[in-house]
Amino acid sequence: MKESKLVNILKCFTEDEIRLFEKFILSPYFSSGRNVRGLYNLLRLHHPVFESDELERESIFTALYPGESFNERKLKNLSSSLTHLAEQFLIQNSIESTAIESKLLLAEQYLKRGEDKLFLSTLRSIENNTASGSDIGTEWFDEE
């Protein structure tokens, strides 16, 4: 698993993001139905290097399912679920990191749902923030 997509994603997480990711995977809203916490806990121990022999697929499987014969498909399914959550976590962090972008997405949702008052209110909020120069960076203007 040392070279897996999942491990490569986790390598780029900061210590704070690793802690926040644990909360994220525990959230029933984002949970895929599979209990990925055990796999996460095993991998977290090796952050950020992920070089241990304990990260071999068979070793991870044995730690997660003691007494069971190695089942590649079962481990792949679990790993795939955790990878999906890691990607969703990165997307969520990206959305939350830019206040203007978040408000634009919110305004778009209000418009699609026919909530004109909420849409206009959100647009005014964006306008006020941009007029005052807060919550906006030059990268926002470069994205077209």
Side-chain angles (χ1 to χ4, degrees):
M1 285 200 76
K2 294 179 199 178
E3 300 301 321
S4 69
K5 181 178 181 180
L6 174 59
V7 167
N8 287 326
I9 294 170
L10 294 177
K11 279 182 182 178
C12 74
F13 283 9
T14 65
E15 284 300 321
D16 285 341
E17 288 172 329
I18 282 289
R19 282 189 291 279
L20 288 173
F21 184 52
E22 181 173 14
K23 290 180 182 180
F24 187 87
I25 65 173
L26 294 175
S27 165
Y29 181 80
F30 294 103
S31 177
S32 64
R34 282 196 171 83
N35 185 356
V36 295
R37 189 174 187 186
L39 178 57
Y40 168 77
N41 287 337
L42 286 174
L43 294 175
R44 180 182 184 183
L45 296 172
H46 302 281
H47 181 267
V49 181
F50 297 99
E51 292 297 328
S52 172
D53 289 338
E54 293 174 8
L55 293 174
E56 297 299 326
R57 292 187 171 284
E58 291 81 4
S59 298
I60 289 174
F61 189 88
T62 300
L64 292 173
Y65 308 104
E68 285 189 38
S69 298
F70 178 69
N71 182 330
E72 181 76 23
R73 174 63 34 210
K74 192 171 185 176
L75 186 59
K76 274 189 176 184
N77 287 342
L78 192 61
S79 177
S80 177
S81 293
L82 189 55
T83 301
H84 176 74
L85 286 172
E87 291 173 334
Q88 291 302 310
F89 175 77
L90 289 172
I91 292 167
Q92 191 66 31
N93 273 358
S94 177
I95 291 169
E96 291 175 0
S97 69
T98 310
I100 298 273
E101 296 268 341
S102 296
K103 287 182 180 180
L104 284 171
L105 290 170
L106 180 61
E108 180 182 0
Q109 284 302 309
Y110 287 146
L111 183 62
K112 284 180 179 179
R113 295 163 192 263
E115 293 293 337
D116 296 338
K117 286 183 182 180
L118 294 171
F119 170 74
L120 292 172
S121 172
T122 305
L123 285 184
R124 279 192 293 279
S125 174
I126 293 169
E127 185 178 81
N128 290 338
N129 283 342
T130 55
S132 69
S134 65
D135 293 325
I136 192 163
T138 57
E139 71 279 351
W140 189 74
F141 291 104
D142 294 337
E143 289 182 15
E144 284 241 18

